[in-house]
């Protein structure tokens, strides 16, 4: 059977994606990490008037060589009362508006005050310490684009602009349904050495949250054909993307594979390692992503496919792929396109990838993704990579 290439699978997936239109308004005090659902434009110039950038005296540039009479003060938050003429100045504070007629601010430490006059000890250039109109932004300038992930500085800007509520995308709901009669949930005892504790549902739920989603963990699913079909139907009702793990390969008890095929299949196996048995199905505007049961495989495939859907919906840039130089040699183990866990170092202005501490073996090795591991992309057509080879790197969330 000829397997679909990874590139083709992404192209095909994108043809089924539609604009995500779930939006809500929330207070800016609650929007850290949320994703903006509208462009934010400047309603006016900022500053709107010429403003002092430090404490000093507002005056005419050409008057710095003479004694200047102090007309008064302009505290921050008050409108200027004075018009500066020849031989005059106004004491002006950080954030205060510049008085009419002035074009320069001399810092307080540059002057000597005697009675009601100042004598300038050190002159400054014209326009010194003045924030010009529109220095921060001009009227109608797009300050934040739709799709911006809001952090502390963006939220501070929204506060400065006077916003209290802002439109953000509703967090997509990612449901996680792990299957297999051999797996036990948190807190459950293992009854025999053939059983294992489930980790997929925990890992994938956390990955979903790191990508700006709300995650829902469904009860573990045993290998029962009727129960599998019903559980899948019910779980799909309460989420935008349903991630399943296990039950998609060639085993006698892989009932999820059959249940997923009740829906519109988009992708059925891909020419990659790990995860070639992946299946992606569509139900209305929802997706079922059926992943293998091995933890490493499930986490890698989540990053390769679920992340693509979320990027499209939430207008996120694919800025987590870069080039790196491989430190050491690597020999391919399969004829597929491989995604190999690696360590990343930044050294002498270069990005370096190495495989120190990464274990060879199956796709069950969770700890290969520890310590902020990334994925090294090993092309299908090559047999090995030599030391200092330039490789593609995908950073995990």
């Amino acid at each position: 059977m000829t397997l679909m290439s990874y590139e083709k699978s992404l192209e095909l997936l994108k043809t089924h994606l539609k604009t995500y239109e779930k939006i809500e308004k929330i207070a800016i005090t609650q929007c850290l990490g949320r994703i903006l659902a509208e462009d934010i434009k400047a309603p006016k110039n900022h500053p709107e008037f010429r403003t002092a950038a430090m404490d000093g005296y507002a005056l005419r540039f050409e008057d710095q060589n003479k004694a200047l009479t102090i007309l008064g003060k302009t505290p921050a938050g008050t409108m200027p009362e004075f018009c500066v003429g020849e031989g005059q100045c106004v004491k002006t504070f950080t954030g205060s508006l510049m008085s009419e007629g002035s074009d320069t601010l001399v810092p307080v430490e540059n002057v000597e005050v005697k009675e009601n006059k100042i004598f300038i000890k050190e002159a400054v250039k014209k326009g010194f310490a003045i924030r010009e109109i529109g220095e921060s932004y001009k009227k109608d300038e797009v300050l934040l684009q739709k799709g911006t992930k809001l952090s502390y500085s963006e939220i501070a800007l929204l506060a400065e602009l006077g916003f209290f509520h802002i439109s953000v995308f509703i967090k997509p709901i990612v449901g996680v349904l792990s299957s297999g009669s051999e797996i036990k949930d948190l807190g459950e005892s293992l009854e025999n050495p053939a059983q294992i504790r489930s980790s997929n549902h925990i890992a994938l739920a956390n990955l979903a949250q790191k990508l700006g989603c709300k995650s829902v963990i469904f009860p573990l699913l045993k290998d029962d054909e009727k129960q599998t079909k019903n559980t899948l139907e019910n779980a799909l009702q309460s989420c935008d993307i349903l991630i399943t793990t296990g039950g998609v390969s060639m085993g006698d008890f892989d009932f999820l594979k059959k249940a997923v095929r009740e829906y519109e299949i988009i992708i059925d196996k891909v020419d990659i390692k790990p995860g070639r048995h992946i299946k992606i199905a569509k139900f209305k505007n929802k997706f079922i992503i059926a992943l293998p049961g091995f933890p490493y495989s499930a986490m890698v495939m989540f990053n390769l496919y679920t992340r693509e859907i979320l990027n499209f919906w939430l207008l996120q840039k694919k800025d987590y792929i870069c080039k790196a130089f491989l430190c050491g040699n690597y020999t391919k183990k399969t004829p597929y396109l491989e995604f190999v866990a690696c360590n990343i170092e930044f050294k002498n202005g270069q990005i370096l990838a190495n495989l120190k501490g990464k274990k060879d073996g199956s796709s069950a090795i969770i700890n290969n993704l520890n310590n902020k591991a990334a994925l090294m992309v090993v092309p299908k057509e090559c047999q090995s990579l030599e030391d200092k080879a330039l490789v593609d790197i995908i950073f995990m969330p």
Side-chain angles (χ1 to χ4, degrees):
M1 178 181 177
T2 302
L3 298 178
M4 183 184 298
S5 72
Y6 173 60
E7 293 76 13
K8 179 65 177 177
S9 70
L10 291 184
E11 290 175 8
L12 187 57
L13 178 60
K14 288 176 182 176
T15 65
H16 290 269
L17 297 177
K18 294 183 179 180
T19 303
Y20 186 75
E21 297 178 336
K22 297 181 179 180
I23 296 171
E24 64 179 339
K25 270 193 173 295
I26 63 173
I28 65 168
T29 54
Q30 302 298 315
C31 68
L32 182 65
R34 299 299 296 271
I35 296 173
L36 200 58
E38 61 180 333
D39 286 344
I40 300 297
K41 295 183 178 181
K44 58 186 178 181
N45 294 326
H46 185 72
E48 197 170 2
F49 301 93
R50 297 165 74 245
T51 306
M54 59 177 63
D55 295 343
Y57 291 86
L59 46 80
R60 302 191 317 166
F61 170 73
E62 61 268 27
D63 286 350
Q64 292 186 79
N65 59 353
K66 61 183 72 171
L68 302 176
T69 301
I70 303 172
L71 297 177
K73 300 178 180 179
T74 303
T78 64
M79 296 301 292
E81 300 178 11
F82 310 99
C83 180
V84 175
E86 182 180 355
Q88 298 175 327
C89 66
V90 175
K91 190 169 187 181
T92 305
F93 301 87
T94 304
S96 297
L97 303 188
M98 294 292 292
S99 295
E100 184 181 348
S102 64
D103 59 13
T104 301
L105 188 88
V106 176
V108 291
E109 57 267 28
N110 287 27
V111 309
E112 182 180 353
V113 180
K114 291 183 179 179
E115 297 179 351
N116 198 41
K117 292 183 180 294
I118 65 167
F119 298 84
I120 297 173
K121 299 183 294 183
E122 184 178 344
V124 297
K125 63 183 181 180
K126 188 173 184 178
F128 184 80
I130 295 177
R131 295 189 63 212
E132 295 295 338
I133 294 170
E135 177 192 78
S136 294
Y137 39 81
K138 306 288 188 185
K139 185 178 186 301
D140 294 328
E141 180 182 343
V142 176
L143 303 178
L144 298 173
Q145 291 186 325
K146 184 178 180 179
T148 298
K149 189 172 185 178
L150 298 171
S151 189
Y152 62 92
S153 60
E154 289 84 4
I155 296 170
L157 175 59
L158 291 171
E160 180 178 86
L161 292 169
F163 284 92
F164 181 67
H165 289 93
I166 198 73
S167 293
V168 297
F169 288 115
I170 294 175
K171 292 183 178 183
I173 300 175
V174 175
V176 184
L177 176 62
S178 292
S179 71
S181 293
E182 77 280 12
I183 58 176
K184 291 288 189 177
D185 208 343
L186 301 179
E188 291 185 319
S189 299
L190 302 184
E191 298 165 4
N192 60 66
Q195 296 179 335
I196 58 174
R197 293 186 177 88
S198 176
S199 59
N200 282 337
H201 60 323
I202 302 301
L204 299 181
N206 284 327
L207 276 170
Q209 290 177 39
K210 290 195 75 173
L211 292 175
C213 300
K214 177 182 178 182
S215 60
V216 176
I217 298 176
F218 296 105
L220 299 182
L221 177 63
K222 302 302 180 184
D223 292 324
D224 178 277
E225 186 169 1
K226 183 178 179 182
Q227 183 185 4
T228 296
K229 181 180 178 181
N230 293 337
T231 300
L232 201 64
E233 289 177 356
N234 292 334
L236 195 56
Q237 301 306 312
S238 57
C239 53
D240 299 295
I241 301 174
L242 176 61
I243 309 294
T244 70
T245 66
V248 294
S249 55
M250 307 300 290
D252 292 347
F253 300 99
D254 287 340
F255 299 122
L256 259 174
K257 175 174 61 177
K258 182 177 179 181
V260 170
R261 284 182 173 146
E262 296 283 326
Y263 301 89
E264 179 188 355
I265 295 291
I266 299 172
I267 295 169
D268 189 358
K269 297 184 181 178
V270 181
D271 194 4
I272 57 178
K273 177 70 176 178
R276 71 180 181 277
H277 290 290
I278 184 173
K279 290 171 177 55
I280 300 180
K282 187 179 178 184
F283 174 68
K284 297 180 181 178
N285 288 328
K286 301 184 177 187
F287 292 90
I288 305 170
I289 303 180
L291 304 179
F294 277 151
Y296 175 83
S297 181
M299 287 185 271
V300 170
M301 298 305 285
F302 183 100
N303 187 67
L304 297 182
Y305 286 97
T306 310
R307 199 173 188 180
E308 286 287 337
I309 297 173
L310 296 174
N311 284 346
F312 183 89
W313 281 355
L314 303 177
L315 308 178
Q316 298 303 289
K317 296 178 181 177
K318 202 169 179 177
D319 56 2
Y320 46 86
I321 299 176
C322 70
K323 298 284 186 181
F325 291 99
L326 177 62
C327 298
N329 300 312
Y330 177 77
T331 301
K332 280 190 73 180
K333 301 170 179 61
T334 74
Y336 309 113
L337 172 67
E338 293 183 353
F339 296 90
V340 180
C342 65
N343 308 302
I344 294 297
E345 290 182 279
F346 300 91
K347 191 173 182 180
N348 298 327
Q350 293 183 328
I351 303 175
L352 307 177
N354 70 72
L355 304 177
K356 295 175 185 177
K358 302 306 179 189
K359 301 178 184 295
D360 287 334
S362 70
S363 297
I365 306 174
I366 295 176
N367 37 305
N368 271 350
L369 287 173
N370 288 357
N371 300 314
K372 298 182 180 179
L375 300 176
M376 178 176 70
V377 183
V378 186
K380 173 182 171 62
E381 58 274 9
C382 83
Q383 300 301 313
S384 63
L385 295 171
E386 296 183 355
D387 184 39
K388 296 183 174 58
L390 192 61
V391 295
D392 283 325
I393 295 296
I394 301 174
F395 289 96
M396 297 290 279

